[in-house]
Amino acid sequence: MYSEPDRAAFLPLTQLASLVARLMALGYQCLGPAVENGAIVMRQLDTPDGLPRGLQAEQGPGRYRLTQDSHQRYFAWASGPQAIKPQAFASRESLWRVERDDAGSLKFAAVLPAAPAQAIIGVRACDLAALALQDAHFLRAGRRDPHYARRREQLFLVAVQCAEPAATCFCASTGDGPTPSAGYDIALAELANGFVAVAGSAKGDAVLTGLDLSPATPQQIDAARQQGKDSATAQTRSLPGRNLRDVLMQRLEHPRWDAVGTRCLACGNCTAVCPTCFCHAEADEPALDGRSSEHARLWDSCFGEAHGHLHGFSVRPDIRSRYRQWLTHKLATWHDQFGRSGCVGCGRCIAWCPVGIDLTEEAAALTAGEGPR
Ligand code: SF4
Ligand code: SF4
């Protein structure tokens, strides 16, 4: 974020609303943090000064509680349950529709989403890394998903450095945070009296230029850099290595899979909150009059019995094998597909697991005895 310090600007706290106002004036629907059912989620901002202050999120295995930030910062909260996955990969959408005309002929038509231009304010480094993985899946050469692409093209991302990691965060160990390094239009680092702001795209540069900001001083840039280092050091969880592929695939019969299989409820929460999970199911939804039908895509989870159902039998009949499928895909075979692990260290699967299963703890137990990787 600070590779070109001479391009960093300083956005005073009092001018944060003017950044939102500028984005609104450019036609963006602005999304920012909002409290819903006791958790921070991304919701549409009605006014430029609608961003909440003073929220923090205390997290642990199976635990998430909002608390007050005594410094009244805008972005002192670590990751909420939602990431920005739903803004590009909708949790439910129609892919195509078929209608029967009076002569009985069927007419098929693609259903493409109406995707408004959206600016998301408060995106974290782990979410950007996860979005890059979703891009690698949905926009891969020859298999470009038009529904995902249409939404993705419309996103303007205002990222924020995480200064207050939750106890569940471990993005420093995966190399994905806490300071945003790529994939943003604008990145902010919140200091006591304002934000060090850096553009990461031509669109972001045009927005910052329009705000007529002063350059950030070397002291402000150093403070933001140091804040990122302190935040990384403050993280208490980590994975045993960035590439666990071989060791995990050699331990498919490790007794730890039985132990975790007895604890796991197969509820699928971890896959719903994970910003990199992209499994889905498809379903046909016929109208009652029999004249039309929609073909829908819905988020699905590899923890569901039906997800592993193949022509009359299930390839993963027990919870042990479903947990193993999830973890070995995420931390092992993802390397074969995408050249890196599928975990960006956001910690959501730990906080939102109702029985507090901790992926870092499971990975450490499963790889124990191996040297550093
Ligand atoms: S596996 Fe867990 S920690 Fe890793 S990206 Fe998914 S939700 Fe975040
Ligand atoms: S690991 Fe936790 S969140 Fe995931 S399916 Fe099992 S019980 Fe649910």
Side-chain angles (χ1 to χ4, degrees), residues 255-270:
R256 187 78 184 193
W257 300 118
D258 297 306
V260 73
T262 61
R263 295 175 63 209
C264 174
L265 308 174
C267 66
N269 265 18
C270 48

Side-chain angles (χ1 to χ4, degrees), residues 263-271 303 323 349 352-355 357:
R263 295 175 63 209
C264 174
L265 308 174
C267 66
N269 265 18
C270 48
T271 52
F303 283 91
Y323 188 88
C349 57
W352 294 94
C353 173
V355 292
I357 293 173

